[in-house]
């Protein structure tokens, strides 16, 4: 069934829907694997996933078709397609996976990561991360790796740094439509204003919102630096992108092929990270040319303001408390 669907997907992308897919039958090449993500074909995610596919093709019997630009739907739709075994691999945000296991919300928890070094230490070495990555097996997929998406910080149309929650008081700050993110911005002193990313530029321009929170790439690539001239490194979240694979696909592989998956994801991570750093620096340089001011601050007041949210997360279950403690065990001495 899955392989007939793959042929349909490759040939008629506009016709793809979960309902239609589930009704197909037949058999095509079982070694053709479909990969999808929501970014453009220039994006570091595409470069990373293309590297993954190339490594896999060079060392296994599998071939790959990679679909960028959200051709197979948004994160939610892609997760459903992977669950159904129709799509083999997809890159989605960790926040989109919370509906399948609430433990994934730890990745969106403010200040669970204190620095980039801490973030990388946890993501690359933590047994709790691997436990979470494998926790959705019964849902039809597992996570096989992750990509860096930087840190999220506050930027505003008002001049000057935001150094304490008092500086955000009364400011409407766009956030993602996530309960975790909304509570976070409110705790940080702002008035959380959920909206889609496509509405942010116009809302900043028209004064509907006073600021937003994201990594630096929105300043030039999305043009937000044209209207928001102050970027403060609050670095309140490091939300990873997660690469998921259908368990049907993974379980059909030999142990040797699964090792190639792991090795190929490591190469894909490095290819992505090399390009990601270039994209971030290009945006910082371009934003400075636009007149954007960047501010480094002592994050302690914001960390303290968000501490109740961390405590609430830990109180929800023994697993949450265990995951949080595990993450903090990788904290470098200079961040303690």
């Amino acid at each position: 069934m899955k392989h007939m669907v793959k042929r349909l997907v490759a040939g008629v992308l506009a016709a793809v829907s979960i309902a239609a897919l589930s009704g197909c039958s037949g058999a095509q090449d079982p070694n053709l694997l479909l990969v999808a993500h929501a970014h453009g074909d220039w994006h570091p995610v595409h470069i990373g996933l293309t590297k993954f596919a190339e490594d896999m093709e060079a060392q296994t019997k599998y071939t790959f078709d990679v679909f960028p630009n959200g051709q197979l739907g948004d994160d939610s739709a892609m997760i459903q397609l992977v669950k159904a075994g129709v799509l083999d691999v997809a890159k989605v945000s960790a926040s989109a996976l919370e509906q399948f296991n609430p433990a994934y919300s730890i990745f969106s928890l403010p200040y669970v990561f204190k620095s980039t070094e801490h973030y990388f230490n946890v993501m690359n070495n933590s047994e709790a991360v691997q436990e979470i990555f494998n926790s959705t097996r019964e849902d039809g997929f597992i996570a096989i790796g992750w990509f860096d998406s930087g840190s999220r910080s506050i930027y505003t149309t008002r001049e000057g740094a935001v150094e304490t929650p008092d500086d955000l008081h009364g400011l409407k700050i766009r956030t993602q439509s996530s309960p975790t993110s909304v509570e976070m911005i409110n705790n940080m002193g702002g008035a959380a204003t959920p909206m889609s990313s496509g509405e942010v530029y116009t809302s900043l321009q028209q004064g509907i919102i006073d600021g937003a929170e994201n990594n630096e790439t929105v300043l030039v690539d999305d043009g937000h630096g044209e209207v928001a001239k102050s970027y403060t490194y609050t670095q309140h979240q490091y939300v990873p992108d997660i690469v998921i694979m259908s368990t049907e696909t993974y379980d059909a592989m030999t142990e040797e092929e699964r090792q190639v998956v792991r090795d190929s994801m490591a190469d894909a991570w490095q290819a992505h990270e090399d390009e990601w750093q270039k994209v971030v620096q290009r945006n910082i340089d371009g934003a400075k040319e636009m007149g954007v001011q960047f501010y480094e601050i002592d994050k302690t007041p914001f960390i303290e303001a968000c501490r109740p949210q961390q405590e609430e997360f830990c109180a929800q279950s023994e697993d949450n408390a265990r995951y949080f403690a595990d993450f903090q065990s990788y904290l470098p001495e200079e961040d303690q």
Side-chain angles (χ1 to χ4, degrees):
M1 177 185 75
K2 177 174 69 173
H3 312 301
M4 179 63 177
V5 171
K6 287 181 178 179
R7 185 179 181 186
L8 175 64
V9 169
V12 195
L13 291 176
V16 171
S17 70
I18 295 173
L21 293 172
S22 62
C24 296
S25 61
Q28 296 297 319
D29 182 3
N31 298 323
L32 171 63
L33 304 186
L34 303 186
V35 182
H37 63 87
H39 300 285
D41 58 11
W42 58 270
H43 195 278
V45 163
H46 187 74
I47 291 170
L49 289 177
T50 299
K51 175 62 174 171
F52 172 78
E54 289 173 350
D55 282 6
M56 287 289 294
E57 287 184 341
Q59 300 177 68
T60 70
K61 61 181 179 292
Y62 294 103
T63 58
F64 290 78
D65 281 340
V66 181
F67 296 98
N69 296 304
Q71 293 178 78
L72 303 187
D74 60 12
D75 280 7
S76 180
M78 287 189 288
I79 293 169
Q80 293 294 346
L81 289 173
V82 174
K83 276 171 55 73
V86 172
L87 182 58
D88 299 286
V89 177
K91 191 289 299 178
V92 298
S93 174
S95 59
L97 292 165
E98 293 179 26
Q99 61 183 303
F100 299 99
N101 182 356
Y104 265 100
S105 64
I106 193 173
F107 296 112
S108 300
L109 198 63
Y111 297 109
V112 69
F113 303 115
K114 300 298 193 302
S115 66
T116 299
E117 182 182 0
H118 181 210
Y119 172 46
F120 283 12
N121 280 347
V122 172
M123 296 304 299
N124 289 327
N125 301 305
S126 167
E127 292 183 5
V129 167
Q130 291 305 312
E131 184 176 328
I132 294 169
F133 278 8
N134 286 291
S135 65
T136 53
R137 169 169 282 279
E138 292 185 1
D139 290 302
F141 67 92
I142 58 171
I144 58 171
W146 68 286
F147 289 140
D148 176 22
S149 61
S151 63
R152 299 179 74 92
S153 291
I154 299 289
Y155 56 101
T156 67
T157 56
R158 299 194 180 185
E159 293 184 2
V162 290
E163 299 186 67
T164 70
D166 286 342
D167 294 330
L168 281 179
H169 182 70
L171 299 188
K172 290 177 288 185
I173 304 298
R174 179 267 171 178
T175 189
Q176 301 173 91
S177 297
S178 154
T180 301
S181 295
V182 168
E183 182 180 358
M184 173 192 69
I185 290 299
N186 290 336
N187 286 340
M188 290 175 67
T193 308
M195 66 173 59
S196 68
S197 58
E199 299 176 84
V200 176
Y201 180 92
T202 301
S203 296
L204 288 166
Q205 188 178 48
Q206 296 179 352
I208 296 171
I209 56 175
D210 302 296
E213 52 86 35
N214 213 320
N215 61 58
E216 302 96 330
T217 64
V218 298
L219 296 174
V220 173
D221 288 352
D222 292 352
H224 295 182
E226 297 173 5
V227 288
K229 300 298 184 181
S230 301
Y231 190 97
T232 302
Y233 281 106
T234 52
Q235 295 177 312
H236 46 265
Q237 285 175 318
Y238 293 78
V239 183
D241 284 335
I242 307 297
V243 181
I244 61 174
M245 176 179 279
S246 162
T247 52
E248 181 180 344
T249 301
Y250 188 79
D251 290 346
M253 294 179 174
T254 65
E255 183 51 45
E256 290 77 12
E257 289 167 340
R258 292 172 191 165
Q259 184 59 51
V260 176
V261 167
R262 292 187 283 270
D263 293 342
S264 298
M265 268 307 308
D267 288 346
W269 188 94
Q270 192 61 59
H272 171 280
E273 187 64 17
D274 291 345
E275 188 63 23
W276 174 257
Q277 293 303 325
K278 294 176 185 177
V279 170
V280 170
Q281 191 59 54
R282 173 173 57 78
N283 273 267
I284 292 173
D285 293 342
K288 288 179 177 178
E289 292 178 4
M290 292 177 176
V292 175
Q293 298 294 312
F294 290 85
Y295 301 96
E296 298 276 357
I297 63 165
D298 177 2
K299 296 176 287 188
T300 302
F302 292 111
I303 293 172
E304 291 301 319
C306 292
R307 197 172 300 281
Q309 197 169 352
Q310 296 177 348
E311 294 171 350
E312 180 183 0
F313 173 84
C314 292
Q316 288 174 356
S317 73
E318 291 183 2
D319 281 344
N320 282 7
R322 179 167 56 84
Y323 294 151
F324 186 85
D326 180 84
F327 279 27
Q328 300 316 300
S329 72
Y330 291 91
L331 195 64
E333 286 187 12
E334 59 268 27
D335 291 330
Q336 293 180 7

